[in-house]
Amino acid sequence: MATLAERLTEALRAKKVSNREAARALKKAGTPISHVYIGLLCSGGKANPTLEQMEALARFLGVSVGWLAGEEAPTAKVAPSATSSEEQERRQVLSDLNALGVLNVAERMTGLSPLSIEAIRTMVEAMRTAERVDEQDT
């Protein structure tokens, strides 16, 4: 019998989403689960998510809770959802931002007030000036 960790890993790979992308989608759908927690579930470091979390994961991944829990035999290979060119482009942009280290910074800014965001922007500009980054580009 397959484990939750194996099934969750398989379903995430089939859907071609990272733990971070899954966590973001689940939070948006109303069930906040951190990408770290999803990673622990995938690695077997955690094995007892709540029923609400299991239902949210199953719904997002397009599988049944029973299948995800390893209780049901797979009826068919988990198929990734069809992605439009717009979705593929969005994923490429996210991948590029992640590679640049921008995505994590942007995610950490979520929920901050406009005043705090402006303070961060001002600090970044001050650092760029101090390190003469813009002068190196010319």
Side-chain angles (χ1 to χ4, degrees), residues 14-138:
K15 192 167 175 105
K16 297 181 181 175
V17 294
S18 68
N19 296 350
R20 192 176 298 274
E21 290 170 317
R24 194 176 303 118
L26 291 168
K27 180 179 180 182
K28 190 174 183 179
T31 306
I33 300 175
S34 75
H35 69 280
V36 173
Y37 186 71
I38 293 172
L40 288 170
L41 289 172
C42 287
S43 70
K46 295 281 183 180
N48 294 313
T50 65
L51 179 58
E52 178 187 11
Q53 291 170 329
M54 284 291 286
E55 288 172 340
L57 284 164
R59 197 170 31 255
F60 171 71
L61 295 168
V63 298
S64 71
V65 171
W67 181 87
L68 192 58
E71 296 170 357
E72 295 175 8
T75 55
K77 183 105 173 120
V78 177
S81 60
T83 56
S84 65
S85 61
E86 185 177 294
E87 177 65 15
Q88 289 171 343
E89 186 177 320
R90 183 189 72 80
R91 285 187 182 166
Q92 183 61 50
V93 168
L94 288 174
S95 176
D96 292 347
L97 288 173
N98 196 34
L100 292 170
V102 173
L103 193 56
N104 189 40
V105 172
E107 286 176 340
R108 300 292 298 150
M109 291 173 57
T110 301
L112 294 178
S113 69
L115 182 62
S116 293
I117 292 172
E118 179 59 24
I120 292 167
R121 190 195 65 73
T122 301
M123 285 189 288
V124 168
E125 289 305 316
M127 287 180 245
R128 291 182 65 81
T129 299
E131 295 182 18
R132 301 173 190 242
V133 172
D134 295 324
E135 293 174 14
Q136 294 171 4
D137 291 341
T138 57

